[in-house]
Amino acid sequence: MPILILLSFVLAACQQGAEIRIDQKDGRATFSLSRISSDKPACIRNLEVYEGEPKGGQPLWQIAGGDEGCIASVEFAKVPKGFSQADDTPAGLRLKPGQSYAVQASGTGWLAFGAFTAR
């Protein structure tokens, strides 16, 4: 029984441990993350953007990596140093005004979700 309680705390610690702020300007979106209830930075390791709801489909844009330090902010379709993006990412990827998007980001010990409509 104590192992199940401990496992529950560990799983809970990895869920919604950060929040995503989405700033839009001139057709661009920047995703900034901060930890909830912690002074530790929200270092992004993976970030995915979906058109509409994820529904188990492939992300429109996906980056992974983050071994080169702590990055807590990412601009859509710009791959930060130390990251790679999915090989099938189309060139010149842009957000469509009026389209809804979902964002999922994760790092060591946290997971965050967000949604926005492109302007």
Side-chain angles (χ1 to χ4, degrees):
M1 183 75 146
I3 293 174
L4 290 176
I5 294 171
L6 178 61
L7 183 57
S8 296
F9 283 116
V10 170
L11 291 175
C14 290
Q15 306 228 351
Q16 201 62 27
E19 52 190 11
I20 300 175
R21 189 179 78 231
I22 302 161
D23 296 311
Q24 295 187 65
K25 186 175 180 179
D26 300 327
R28 297 185 182 130
T30 301
F31 313 112
S32 301
L33 286 104
S34 58
R35 296 284 295 258
I36 298 172
S37 303
S38 175
D39 292 337
K40 295 181 181 177
C43 301
I44 298 168
R45 299 289 180 238
N46 298 289
L47 187 131
E48 300 170 350
V49 177
Y50 297 85
E51 254 183 9
E53 295 293 319
K55 300 179 189 171
Q58 291 291 88
L60 173 67
W61 185 61
Q62 178 179 16
I63 57 171
D67 294 331
E68 302 240 347
C70 184
I71 295 176
S73 182
V74 176
E75 185 177 328
F76 177 75
K78 295 211 176 190
V79 182
K81 181 181 177 182
F83 282 75
S84 60
Q85 70 181 3
D87 292 338
D88 58 350
T89 303
L93 186 59
R94 298 203 185 281
L95 297 172
K96 299 173 190 168
Q99 173 68 48
S100 295
Y101 294 90
V103 182
Q104 177 177 309
S106 63
T108 303
W110 63 269
L111 180 63
F113 303 95
F116 68 102
T117 300
R119 294 186 254 151

